[in-house]
Amino acid sequence: MAVSADKMHEWRPGGGREAPTVAQAIDFDEYVRRVSALCEACSEDRLASRVGREVRRLMAADDWLPAECRAAGAETYRRHVLYADPQGRFTVLSVVWRPGQGTPVHGHTAWGAVGVYSGAPSVANYRLACDGAVELACEAVCAPGDVTCVQPGIDYPHRVHNASDDVAITVHTYGRDLIADPASINIEL
């Protein structure tokens, strides 16, 4: 989820950046329109941070995620597709994490922006050692409204885990068509 967990405080409301006000919050349809426009206007290397700003505004909106997209999986975290761009430029997912569920250490095949909708998932970032091993670089426990971005490649390995006693929900926007190939976003190390 995060290549920037070490800078999570910058994105946390009250932590260096102004949290969007309710008046600045956007609904999901407006979010999709804005991300579509950014895909037209921005270079690929700038999309994660630009979309991240819009995710912050979406996370400031009240109770917009449909109940069926909050359902958890029994054995592992569960993804729900919220929107798939007809041109294949991006996909928006909700990911529901029961206590104890998490990912392996991985990278991504595309840019991404992730916001915490509810709960307190933990994000651990790793460094690649010369021998190919991964070493923990930093870890942050996230809060609702926190946003982070990812860039493609294995140079930014990370892991998401829900160590809390409550369900956590995150909203992910990836610069890839995940309908055509749902497993194509992660690069496991």
Side-chain angles (χ1 to χ4, degrees), residues 10-142:
E10 294 176 10
W11 287 97
R12 181 165 287 153
R17 294 189 186 209
E18 288 285 318
T21 65
V22 173
Q24 294 169 322
I26 57 175
D27 67 17
F28 188 74
D29 291 338
E30 179 64 15
Y31 175 74
V32 168
R33 280 191 291 279
R34 288 172 182 242
V35 173
S36 294
L38 288 169
C39 287
E40 292 292 324
C42 294
S43 62
E44 186 90 1
D45 62 330
R46 298 187 67 169
L47 278 171
S49 63
R50 295 283 178 94
V51 171
R53 291 180 193 140
E54 300 305 327
V55 171
R56 288 184 79 234
R57 295 180 75 188
L58 178 63
M59 293 302 104
D62 287 333
D63 203 28
W64 57 268
L65 188 63
E68 62 271 15
C69 297
R70 299 178 195 194
E75 300 299 318
T76 187
Y77 63 90
R78 184 169 177 193
R79 295 178 181 179
H80 301 274
V81 175
L82 301 176
Y83 179 81
D85 178 58
Q87 297 175 39
R89 299 173 299 180
F90 66 97
T91 306
V92 184
L93 312 165
S94 66
V95 181
V96 184
W97 315 82
R98 286 185 189 264
Q101 293 178 339
T103 68
V105 177
H106 65 284
H108 288 286
T109 60
W111 62 266
V114 180
V116 178
Y117 182 81
S118 65
S122 172
V123 178
N125 290 337
Y126 294 83
R127 286 185 288 271
L128 292 174
C130 294
D131 63 0
V134 292
E135 302 169 343
L136 182 64
C138 62
E139 189 165 7
V141 176
C142 304

Side-chain angles (χ1 to χ4, degrees), residues 134-166:
V134 292
E135 302 169 343
L136 182 64
C138 62
E139 189 165 7
V141 176
C142 304
D146 284 352
V147 173
T148 190
C149 301
V150 298
Q151 294 295 333
I154 60 167
D155 294 333
Y156 306 103
H158 57 277
R159 177 179 187 267
V160 180
H161 184 255
N162 184 6
S164 77
D165 293 332
D166 299 313

